[in-house]
Amino acid sequence: MGKIKVFIRGRFDTWLEKRSPPCSKLVLNQRRIFIIPSRAGAGYLLMLLGLLLLAINYQNNLIFALTFWLFSLLLVAILHTYANLSGITLRAGAAEAVFAGQPAAFHLHLEAGARDRHRLYLGFTDQAPVSCSLTTQAGGADVVLKYPTLKRGPLRPSRMTITTRYPLGILRCWGAPKLDWHCLVYPQPKLLRPLVNSVAEGEGSIPDIARDSDEFSGFQRYQPGQPPRRIFWKAYAKGQALQSKQFEQSQADELILAWNELDGLDAEDRLSTLCAWALDCNARGLSFGLQIPGVNIAAASGGDQLPRVLRALAQYS
């Protein structure tokens, strides 16, 4: 039974891929909308069948009238349920980069069109749906859909679903559009080795490269963990608060986060450690670069240096 279900699902997905290919913007129409009875609707149909059999058996005109009235109500519900979904415009929005293990957030913009839309449910397969309603006065709405990330690299999510059971709940009207979303997933930061510096002059641990140059830049409030030699003891002796001396960073203080410094780790662990190193350097305000097979990023600090390094780590193959 499980194999038959997988086979049918695969054939349906192939057919759906041809019928509704990926695009950045689409309008829900009869080619992209499906409507079937819900569980409550299946019970409703069984009730109609029972009433019809009862009416035929007893030749009761009142039961016949009730059966046909309830059936006409079903037909009207089909039109209203379909109309609640038909004509909605979906447009793919931005998707921010995330670290592996964090849910990716995909922004979706919906436009109501010519009528109000009620009780819409949107989401990816096996994910909790997001509920929203649209009004013609507001024009549309923005929705954020979450998608799990398991590994680094470019991510293209599966088809989303947009569903409604309005107004009676006895019919399920749904569409499965595939929007042209893409998101970059960075490696999961894991500090499996202490931060190591690789420069032309040699190698050293992070305390070695965080030395002071000759250019004094000022004082700041002392932070626990800073070297005692940076404390301005003269001011402390006069009863002032502890302050530490700050110096301009020299060229020798540039860090090169190198692939070759992580011997003994597999590729993914190396990338995760390099990612943790990059985040640490950026938090400390250090100038850092990256050396991995096929990629060499010069040392720099601030600006877009961190995103540039993280992109290189995410796209490594």
Side-chain angles (χ1 to χ4, degrees), residues 68-189:
F68 294 144
W69 180 77
L70 291 174
F71 182 72
S72 65
L73 190 65
L74 173 65
L75 297 180
V76 173
I78 292 175
L79 297 177
H80 281 277
T81 306
Y82 173 82
N84 193 48
L85 212 58
S86 178
I88 296 177
T89 301
L90 306 177
R91 187 171 69 248
E96 296 84 4
V98 296
F99 294 96
Q102 297 178 340
F106 293 94
H107 294 260
L108 173 67
H109 180 73
L110 300 96
E111 296 177 6
R115 64 179 69 88
D116 293 346
R117 316 292 178 155
H118 308 277
R119 297 200 297 271
L120 304 176
Y121 298 90
L122 307 100
F124 295 107
T125 305
D126 299 328
Q127 302 300 311
V130 177
S131 174
C132 75
S133 296
L134 307 175
T135 62
T136 54
Q137 292 182 348
D142 291 310
V143 176
V144 178
L145 304 181
K146 301 291 186 178
Y147 192 82
T149 61
L150 302 178
K151 59 181 181 178
R152 65 171 182 86
L155 171 66
R156 292 187 179 274
S158 60
R159 289 184 179 273
M160 59 162 287
T161 58
I162 176 170
T163 308
T164 183
R165 291 179 172 84
Y166 178 86
L168 299 181
I170 59 177
L171 296 163
R172 178 176 180 264
C173 188
W174 60 282
K178 190 171 185 180
L179 297 177
D180 190 18
W181 272 314
H182 54 85
C183 171
L184 191 60
V185 181
Y186 300 143
Q188 184 179 15

